[in-house]
Amino acid sequence: MAQQQPVDGIPTATLKPRKAQPLYGRHPWALHSAFDQIDDSAANGDIVQLVGDHGRFVAYGVVNRQSRINARLYSWDADQPLTDDFWKRKLAAAIDCRRQLGLFHETAGCRLVYSEADGLSGLIVDYFAGHVVLQINALAMEKRLDVIVAALNELIAPKSIAVRGEAGIQKAEGITVEAAVLQGEVPTDPIYISENGIEFELDLSGGQKTGFYLDQRENRVAAAKYFSGRRVLDMFCYSGGFSLAAAKLGGASEVIGIDGSDRAIELARRNAARNGVTNARFESVDAFDHLKAQVDAGEKYDAVILDPPKFTKTRRNINEALKAYFHVNRQGVNLLNPGGILVTCSCSGNVSREDFQMTLLGVAQKSGRDIQILEQRAAAIDHPTLVTCPETQYLKCFICRVE
Ligand code: SAH
């Protein structure tokens, strides 16, 4: 892009020498250490223009001195300032993308906006059969909640809009967003979404995360094709996403789903019944205890799915997380008959694909079993990876054959 000049009338945040490069490179996070100074006239939540040490315009962002990310960047074009119309256009583009992908329709569940990946750092918008759930993960978005809600109404007229927050992220941003219904009524009765021809009940009022793990949509189908006539153990099954795909799409002979949450297991049972699946059973028990007990009992399966919760939220705990992945995967492998299928996932963003693969290397060496990776997968297509922000890729899903 041609060199751009700073714009009059917008507070300036000046970058330190040599700190502008990644930001010219369109990474949306400007850390505290990148700044020489930020104009006092810009309060937290206000718009600033970032200027390089040679006085060149870099980007428009929103400042938040309470966060390690001192400014989140949204536009690299001096002619595209962060007006209400700008936010609306960004939302419209993200929604159009899901339409284009064929994911956005009345009975669907899909992620309409995935934060940085859609140029809206700090905002997640999930859609569940007409109902919208927002996650506000940045002050910049909290301050613009009214604009976002108005734009969503204009663009897709949702039946209801609710907001949720994640405590850890909010603390890092210095914000408090109480879970609330902003508009319409969130049904207390169950609602249903259809995914790959399977209906799932959603618990929008009290479910985990935003109610359903949309990011595994395509991995469920991909895994299912290896399950014909096989006995499948689905660890950390939540509402039965992989289990029901295994039974209904994959023709598994028997499926056992395990989750530690009673509520999830009740959901999974109702989902099985609703979809006419009679060869899946679900048990509420601690997964780590269950794995150990199954290994001790010498149980064997033809396929094991491991989709645990995040083992670490920080880089600091990465070694413990890797040990935990090693441990569950080793047990998973131990439960497999020769020629069995291991579907193993990690949703810890701090654990890289390479690290995760190294964990499997360790498991192969320690267990003396050959592990062949058949497919290396990531999150569903409504959770894209923005190449200028690799942090948008967090989910790893390896489908392996274990000899
Ligand atoms: N596979 C699921 C998503 C799994 S999310 C799907 O396709 O929808 C991780 C799940 O792990 C959550 O449902 C959570 O309840 C469960 N979980 C977390 N800790 C657990 C534990 N110690 N034992 C069993 N389940 C656990």
Side-chain angles (χ1 to χ4, degrees):
M1 242 170 130
Q3 282 192 20
Q4 304 181 90
Q5 296 307 311
V7 181
D8 288 342
I10 296 180
T12 299
T14 313
L15 295 161
K16 285 186 181 146
R18 291 184 299 281
K19 289 289 184 178
Q21 214 48 45
L23 306 171
Y24 277 125
R26 304 178 72 88
H27 197 287
W29 300 339
L31 302 186
H32 175 72
S33 55
F35 288 103
D36 201 14
Q37 66 84 36
I38 300 175
D39 269 7
D40 287 339
S41 62
N44 288 337
D46 285 355
I47 291 162
V48 289
Q49 55 180 327
L50 271 65
V51 173
D53 62 316
H54 298 301
R56 278 153 59 183
F57 172 92
V58 178
Y60 291 114
V62 175
V63 67
N64 182 7
R65 299 173 186 82
Q66 302 164 116
S67 166
R68 194 173 68 92
I69 302 173
N70 262 199
R72 288 178 191 260
L73 311 189
Y74 298 95
S75 165
W76 283 262
D77 182 345
D79 295 330
Q80 301 279 327
L82 309 184
T83 58
D84 288 2
D85 191 57
F86 173 88
W87 302 114
K88 193 176 140 192
R89 276 184 281 123
K90 279 279 174 195
L91 282 167
I95 293 166
D96 274 352
C97 160
R98 277 52 179 190
R99 255 195 209 107
Q100 182 195 6
L101 300 174
L103 291 176
F104 179 46
H105 50 85
E106 218 176 313
T107 58
C110 71
R111 178 153 290 186
L112 291 175
V113 177
Y114 173 37
S115 204
E116 287 80 11
D118 286 297
L120 288 166
S121 181
L123 175 68
I124 288 173
V125 182
D126 285 334
Y127 177 89
F128 299 111
H131 299 273
V132 159
V133 181
L134 308 177
Q135 279 179 63
I136 301 292
N137 295 335
L139 178 71
M141 294 294 114
E142 189 214 23
K143 288 274 189 214
R144 287 160 186 82
L145 196 49
D146 291 350
V147 178
I148 293 161
V149 167
L152 286 172
N153 277 319
E154 212 173 299
L155 293 165
I156 58 167
K159 290 180 194 156
S160 74
I161 302 181
V163 62
R164 284 215 184 134
E166 210 182 287
I169 296 179
Q170 297 204 6
K171 196 166 162 235
E173 278 286 302
I175 55 174
T176 31
V177 182
E178 299 289 337
V181 177
L182 302 178
Q183 181 183 304
E185 264 176 51
V186 171
T188 43
D189 287 347
I191 66 157
Y192 300 91
I193 59 165
S194 141
E195 178 188 278
N196 307 315
I198 301 172
E199 279 196 11
F200 288 96
E201 177 183 328
L202 292 193
D203 181 1
L204 280 189
S205 55
Q208 300 169 20
K209 213 172 150 190
T210 46
F212 189 74
Y213 294 88
L214 296 166
D215 53 359
Q216 295 281 25
R217 181 193 308 109
E218 288 127 42
N219 295 334
R220 293 176 182 129
V221 184
K225 66 179 181 284
Y226 301 98
F227 295 157
S228 177
R230 292 182 174 230
R231 182 171 187 243
V232 180
L233 175 66
D234 180 10
M235 297 301 298
F236 309 94
C237 67
Y238 187 51
S239 62
F242 278 100
S243 300
L244 297 195
K248 263 213 106 142
L249 309 176
S253 59
E254 186 189 0
V255 183
I256 298 110
I258 302 291
D259 200 281
S261 149
D262 290 345
R263 208 170 166 144
I265 290 301
E266 283 161 23
L267 261 178
R269 287 180 183 146
R270 287 201 296 276
N271 284 334
R274 188 172 177 91
N275 289 281
V277 168
T278 52
N279 61 343
R281 60 186 170 79
F282 298 93
E283 210 181 315
S284 168
V285 50
D286 181 85
F288 305 100
D289 293 348
H290 188 73
L291 281 170
K292 183 170 185 311
Q294 294 279 289
V295 169
D296 290 348
E299 271 296 328
K300 295 290 172 200
Y301 297 85
D302 307 312
V304 172
I305 300 159
L306 301 171
D307 184 18
K310 245 188 229 171
F311 282 156
T312 175
K313 290 186 176 165
T314 62
R315 245 179 253 272
R316 226 175 326 119
N317 297 333
I318 199 156
N319 282 332
E320 284 98 282
L322 289 173
K323 274 189 206 137
Y325 282 118
F326 172 83
H327 184 67
V328 288
N329 278 283
R330 178 150 193 209
Q331 285 177 316
V333 163
N334 205 318
L335 292 175
L336 280 172
N337 287 319
I341 295 291
L342 176 72
V343 178
T344 182
C345 310
S346 159
C347 59
S348 308
N350 290 309
V351 171
S352 70
R353 210 157 258 277
E354 291 70 28
D355 282 346
F356 192 52
Q357 188 169 325
M358 286 296 276
T359 305
L360 296 179
L361 167 70
V363 171
Q365 289 169 336
K366 284 276 188 235
S367 60
R369 308 275 299 263
D370 284 332
I371 302 178
Q372 300 166 306
I373 298 175
L374 306 175
E375 294 189 39
Q376 299 202 31
R377 307 184 53 89
I381 54 177
D382 46 346
H383 301 58
T385 300
L386 186 72
V387 294
T388 48
C389 182
E391 292 85 347
T392 46
Q393 184 170 142
Y394 64 98
L395 183 65
K396 283 81 56 194
C397 170
F398 289 7
I399 304 179
C400 309
R401 186 175 173 280
V402 179
E403 196 49 63

